[in-house]
Amino acid sequence: MRRFIKGLFKGHANGFIYGIIMSLFFANIILLSMHWQNTGSKNAVLPRYHFYAIFPGSNDPFWADVKQGIVQAAASSKVAIEFNQLNPGDNVGTLDYLNIARLSQVDGIITQGSGDSQIEQAINEAVEAGIPVVTLETDAKNSKRQAFIGANSYLIGEQAAKLVIQGTRGRARVAVIMSGNAQTDTAAQNSMLNGFLTTLRDAPDAQMVKIYTANPGILNTEEIAQTILRQKNINAIYSVDPLFSVGVAQTVINDNEVGRLTIVGYGISPEIESYIQRGVIYGIVAGNPLTIGSDSIKALLELKEKNHTSSVIDTGITIVNRDTLANYQKKSAALTTGDQT
């Protein structure tokens, strides 16, 4: 068995990967025989399919909500779902799990996309082996993945620019903080920036001042925020990551500069909600992670049972500022509990 696995990995399978594959093999047997069975019931039901999910397991509430959306849709569809969560930007771990999923012959794969050529090749190999693959939030456009599920990047940038224009009364001097994470979908980020800049030009007295690039982490963003604060001609910041927005907000508070900068971001968390309520962050554009999660299950089911699905599934965006925060929180709570009445 070990020799067979090494052959599939072209001789690069180490003991760790071998152990994971063997553990997964036996876990699959147990899962297929026991999952969703009611011990006391004569009508025990086995799962229809075994799907495999790979995406960041950080403290980002976005991915926690994606996971919840997947769990809810999987339960209602009688599908078994196995989660494998990694640190953001862990391309090596993503590659390993994609190979493990293929070798284990799961029924479908859900993963965050990447432009990394090795990950694209691993996705291609899974699809060629008859395993459907869908990507979430960031895409792998050059791969054979069957569907991308997430928000329209251009529209995100467009709506963010409108918030900046609104918050500065059309007199914006903006600094943008982009992601330098290797896992980032560069094409999507460029599309977002294009939407932002195109819309910003609609305001005659608004202009871009500078674009910064940050690696994941609040501390990295705080250093950039300090640099921006020293430039008195900048009165607005647009950050494309929730942790970036938190880092900027914390820096502005620490430097007693609340109110001088209009902060607009992408993505939301309880901490960001608090900053919006307190007037530190002007507003954000957010994706709909619960919908992204549930739609990923729907897409895999369509691929399994109809052999087709939409190649791009736009899950929409939500605009949240101080005026709309209470309504957003009410809707979000209803979605989380499954009570949408």
Side-chain angles (χ1 to χ4, degrees):
M1 182 70 173
R2 180 187 288 268
R3 184 178 301 171
F4 171 70
I5 291 171
K6 283 188 175 182
L8 288 173
F9 273 93
K10 298 180 176 58
H12 296 295
N14 57 32
F16 172 73
I17 293 177
Y18 175 79
I20 290 179
I21 293 172
M22 291 304 298
S23 299
L24 184 59
F25 174 77
F26 289 112
N28 286 345
I29 295 174
I30 295 171
L31 180 66
L32 291 174
S33 63
M34 296 182 63
H35 195 77
W36 273 314
Q37 290 190 43
N38 185 338
T39 305
S41 172
K42 296 180 180 180
N43 299 315
V45 178
L46 288 172
R48 297 158 62 194
Y49 302 108
H50 173 200
F51 294 153
Y52 194 91
I54 310 164
F55 51 72
S58 67
N59 295 324
D60 186 346
F62 175 89
W63 289 108
D65 285 346
V66 169
K67 182 176 181 178
Q68 183 171 346
I70 290 174
V71 169
Q72 289 174 347
S76 63
S77 302
K78 304 249 180 334
V79 169
I81 182 73
E82 179 178 349
F83 290 96
N84 298 276
Q85 294 180 275
L86 303 158
N87 293 325
D90 185 357
N91 283 358
V92 174
T94 300
L95 181 62
D96 285 344
Y97 279 126
L98 283 168
N99 285 323
I100 290 167
R102 172 175 55 84
L103 293 171
S104 303
Q105 297 183 331
V106 297
D107 295 308
I109 298 173
I110 300 166
T111 185
Q112 184 183 22
S114 169
D116 182 277
S117 60
Q118 288 184 301
I119 290 178
E120 289 176 343
Q121 180 59 30
I123 290 174
N124 292 346
E125 290 172 358
V127 174
E128 289 163 2
I131 302 171
V133 179
V134 300
T135 56
L136 307 182
E137 181 65 0
T138 55
D139 201 1
K141 289 184 177 179
N142 296 323
S143 73
K144 295 180 180 179
R145 61 92 178 126
Q146 283 99 327
F148 165 67
I149 302 161
N152 182 308
S153 300
Y154 186 92
L155 185 59
I156 291 169
E158 179 183 85
Q159 294 301 314
K162 289 181 178 180
L163 281 172
V164 167
I165 292 168
Q166 184 182 69
T168 60
R169 299 178 185 272
R171 296 185 292 274
R173 301 292 182 270
V174 192
V176 176
I177 306 177
M178 308 287 284
S179 175
N181 184 359
Q183 187 81 354
T184 300
D185 182 347
T186 304
Q189 189 166 248
N190 289 341
S191 177
M192 185 188 299
L193 182 61
N194 187 25
F196 183 84
L197 295 176
T198 299
T199 306
L200 195 67
R201 295 190 195 102
D202 290 342
D205 197 22
Q207 62 182 259
M208 167 71 67
V209 176
K210 192 167 183 179
I211 298 174
Y212 295 86
T213 300
N215 291 320
I218 293 174
L219 291 178
N220 294 330
T221 315
E222 288 178 344
E223 293 177 6
I224 292 174
Q226 288 282 359
T227 301
I228 293 172
L229 283 171
R230 288 194 290 269
Q231 301 180 51
K232 300 303 180 182
N233 61 318
I234 294 176
N235 65 356
I237 296 177
Y238 171 45
S239 60
V240 304
D241 183 277
L243 291 180
F244 294 173
S245 298
V246 171
V248 171
Q250 290 178 353
T251 303
V252 167
I253 291 172
N254 292 339
D255 287 20
N256 294 316
E257 295 278 9
V258 174
R260 187 174 80 77
L261 288 176
T262 296
I263 303 171
V264 171
Y266 172 66
I268 196 162
S269 67
E271 193 170 9
I272 289 175
E273 290 177 23
S274 174
Y275 285 137
I276 292 174
Q277 180 63 51
R278 293 155 59 188
V280 180
I281 293 177
Y282 181 78
I284 58 92
V285 182
N288 293 306
L290 286 167
T291 303
I292 291 173
S294 61
D295 281 359
S296 69
I297 294 294
K298 293 176 185 176
L300 283 181
L301 286 173
E302 287 183 351
L303 287 165
K304 294 296 293 183
E305 297 173 356
K306 300 179 181 178
N307 202 34
H308 68 83
T309 191
S310 300
S311 61
V312 176
I313 300 171
D314 185 355
T315 52
I317 58 174
T318 301
I319 313 300
V320 185
N321 58 22
R322 208 169 185 177
D323 294 333
T324 64
L325 178 61
N327 190 45
Y328 165 80
Q329 290 173 326
K330 182 179 179 180
K331 288 183 178 180
S332 179
L335 286 171
T336 301
T337 59
D339 179 13
Q340 302 179 45
T341 58

